[in-house]
Amino acid sequence: MVDKSQVLSLCRSLLRAGRKYPDYNIREYTKRRTLDGFRMNKNLTDPSKVEEAYAEGKSQLEVVERVVKVYLAYPPKTKNIMELKLQ
């Protein structure tokens, strides 16, 4: 059984992992997608559906962490307009 603290921890982990992207657009997409996914599933009450959603979130966290490693190893050569404005 997945409890509330595990779900919140997963949400925080996904948000933290998304902040590691060097590209502004991907950071914002990851943040938006994470929050939308958790909002969409916030009313789940069936334990099997909650377990299923939690497992999907964990697999997405693994994907994000793996892609961040690749993205950091091979960063884009140019910056986008949002990153130029922030400097």
Side-chain angles (χ1 to χ4, degrees):
M1 179 75 185
V2 178
D3 63 358
K4 186 176 180 176
S5 65
Q6 289 175 305
V7 172
L8 292 175
S9 175
L10 176 61
C11 184
R12 283 191 303 270
S13 295
L14 278 162
L15 290 171
R16 252 186 250 115
R19 276 188 240 133
K20 294 178 184 176
Y21 280 108
D23 187 325
Y24 171 83
N25 292 324
I26 297 176
R27 279 194 311 267
E28 289 301 309
Y29 172 78
T30 305
K31 177 180 162 185
R32 186 176 63 247
R33 180 69 179 96
T34 298
L35 294 174
D36 288 348
F38 278 87
R39 285 180 188 131
M40 185 177 69
N41 291 321
K42 75 178 180 180
N43 294 324
L44 290 179
T45 55
D46 182 24
S48 64
K49 295 285 185 186
V50 172
E51 288 282 341
E52 187 178 313
Y54 184 77
E56 174 64 23
K58 288 293 264 189
S59 68
Q60 289 299 318
L61 177 60
E62 292 172 5
V63 169
V64 168
E65 289 173 341
R66 199 168 44 243
V67 172
V68 164
K69 288 178 185 174
V70 171
Y71 218 90
L72 290 174
Y74 303 102
K77 304 224 184 311
T78 60
K79 294 187 181 268
N80 67 31
I81 191 71
M82 293 303 290
E83 291 168 339
L84 292 174
K85 286 185 178 181
L86 293 175
Q87 292 179 346

